[in-house]
Amino acid sequence: MPSPRPGRETAPSIRDVAAAAGVSRQTVSRVLNASPKVSAETRQTVMEVIERLRYRPNRVARALGTGRARGVTVVTSDTMLYGYASTLQGIEEAARVEGLAVGVRVVESDREGDVRSAADYVSDPSAGGVIVIAFDAAGIAVLRALPESLPAAAAVEPGVRGVARPAICLDEQQASAEATRHLLALGHRTVHHVAIPSESEHSGRQAGWRRALAEAGAAVPPVVPVGWDVRSAYEAGRVLAADAGVTAILCGNDHIALAVRRALFEAGKDVPGDVSIVGFDGVPGAEYWTPALTTVEMDFAGLGRATVAAVLAELAGASQPAVSLTPPRLVVRESTAPPRT
């Protein structure tokens, strides 16, 4: 058997970790596989030794032992939009702490062929645990198409039904209601809503907007639906700018708010003098727009981290951990003000 090359250290083994931590190899293996049979104190000791020795598990051996690779594959329809990208960032951060590899599978649409292709891809044991960012029809379709035996979890919009998986969401409905109440409290008679494609009448952002208007006895204007592209939001803004009765707009996300703001500017409408605007998501830099955007900050990264904890529990056959997320928060800035009398 060849000896190690001169000057090159031999990589530590699982036996080295076990000896340094004063536990058995089986205990180290249980820690690496997130087994619930290990106490928190023992787990911490083993993880500290792993970090100190810079031990890197043999992924192939672990895949053979568990039946699935020690990693996660994320299924998403988008990697660029802020909510999707930030959720993916949180997944990567949490997975890195756990020593998990992360792969990404993009589902092109909610057409049956695209959905089936994505579901088949992550059904292979090499995909490890599966996390679906199901903020849209394509993601939800993949989530429902996954085999029941597949260890999976999802980040979803509120109100998603018919999913027998750990599905975690942010309380968008309450946040949307708070944003709408803020505009009504400033003296606006009603609030118009430019809605993103993932919204539905009875859940999430649109439901919170409707609820707040109903509770205040305010008129509920027709929803203005737009696509994910800012061009459609700009065109919606032009329509709203032509209506003298529009004094307050709740936008489905911050990029939509930016496009609507541009349309209002071209129509000679001042923000917030003539029309107040509220965004959603809290994209970085929104405080430096002109005017600084009032928006709802969403903890998408925390949502992503929570899905990693959920899928690890699925892989280990353990009960689901308690979910603790930072609640969405309305941040009031310059883009909202009382209506002109």
Side-chain angles (χ1 to χ4, degrees), residues 148-168:
E148 291 184 9
S149 59
L150 196 69
V156 300
E157 294 277 314
V160 172
R161 297 179 175 86
V163 174
R165 306 280 183 180
I168 306 169

Side-chain angles (χ1 to χ4, degrees), residues 5 43 51-52 88 92 100 109-110 134 141 153 164 169 196 199 220 231 278 281 310 323:
R5 294 177 184 175
R43 174 181 169 79
E51 185 66 26
R52 175 162 54 84
L88 187 57
E92 191 282 325
L100 301 173
S109 74
D110 61 350
C169 65
I196 54 177
E199 294 184 37
V220 181
R231 177 72 193 188
V278 176
D281 289 351
V323 176

Side-chain angles (χ1 to χ4, degrees), residues 130 132 134 139-154 156 159-168 310-311 314 320:
V130 178
V132 183
I140 293 170
V142 171
L143 187 59
R144 289 173 174 157
L146 296 178
E148 291 184 9
S149 59
L150 196 69
V156 300
V160 172
R161 297 179 175 86
V163 174
R165 306 280 183 180
I168 306 169
V311 82
E314 290 289 289
Q320 283 295 311

Side-chain angles (χ1 to χ4, degrees), residues 33-325:
N33 289 297
S35 171
K37 297 179 181 179
V38 182
S39 69
E41 182 180 356
T42 300
R43 174 181 169 79
Q44 181 177 351
T45 300
V46 172
M47 292 304 293
E48 288 174 353
V49 171
I50 287 172
E51 185 66 26
R52 175 162 54 84
L53 297 182
R54 296 187 177 181
Y55 169 68
R56 296 296 177 262
N58 184 317
R59 292 178 183 169
V60 174
R62 291 172 71 182
L64 291 172
T66 62
R68 294 193 69 83
R70 177 68 176 177
V72 294
T73 298
V74 182
V75 180
T76 178
S77 67
D78 196 285
T79 58
M80 299 288 288
L81 290 170
Y82 178 70
Y84 294 79
S86 296
T87 303
L88 187 57
Q89 176 188 346
I91 292 170
E92 191 282 325
E93 290 172 350
R96 187 167 4 114
V97 169
E98 297 291 342
L100 301 173
V102 178
V104 177
R105 170 71 183 204
V106 174
V107 55
E108 297 291 341
S109 74
D110 61 350
R111 292 190 295 268
E112 184 177 354
D114 291 334
V115 170
R116 177 49 53 195
S117 177
D120 288 345
Y121 180 87
V122 296
S123 295
D124 188 280
S126 64
V130 178
I131 297 174
V132 183
I133 301 179
F135 293 159
D136 51 37
I140 293 170
V142 171
L143 187 59
R144 289 173 174 157
L146 296 178
E148 291 184 9
S149 59
L150 196 69
V156 300
E157 294 277 314
V160 172
R161 297 179 175 86
V163 174
R165 306 280 183 180
I168 306 169
C169 65
L170 297 167
D171 191 357
E172 298 181 352
Q173 184 173 147
Q174 180 59 32
S176 179
E178 183 182 357
T180 304
R181 293 189 195 104
H182 164 67
L183 291 165
L184 293 173
L186 289 172
H188 296 278
R189 292 185 177 182
T190 190
V191 178
H192 290 71
H193 181 43
V194 181
I196 54 177
S198 60
E199 294 184 37
S200 68
E201 181 178 348
H202 303 294
S203 65
R205 303 175 189 193
Q206 190 176 144
W209 165 76
R210 289 181 183 278
R211 189 182 79 202
L213 291 177
E215 289 173 351
V220 181
V223 171
V224 182
V226 297
W228 291 114
D229 60 299
V230 292
R231 177 72 193 188
S232 64
Y234 167 77
E235 296 296 343
R238 293 181 63 186
V239 173
L240 291 170
D243 186 344
V246 174
T247 66
I249 305 172
L250 173 64
C251 296
N253 67 32
D254 292 338
H255 291 112
I256 286 175
L258 183 62
V260 170
R261 165 74 182 91
R262 177 67 189 184
L264 291 168
F265 170 77
E266 291 181 358
K269 296 289 184 76
D270 179 64
V271 176
D274 297 311
V275 181
S276 288
I277 296 178
V278 176
F280 224 101
D281 289 351
V283 301
E287 65 269 35
Y288 300 111
W289 295 359
T290 302
L293 183 66
T294 294
T295 186
V296 175
E297 290 186 345
M298 302 278 282
D299 185 18
F300 288 113
L303 178 62
R305 290 190 290 269
T307 61
V308 172
V311 82
L312 281 175
E314 290 289 289
L315 283 164
S319 58
Q320 283 295 311
V323 176
S324 178
L325 297 172

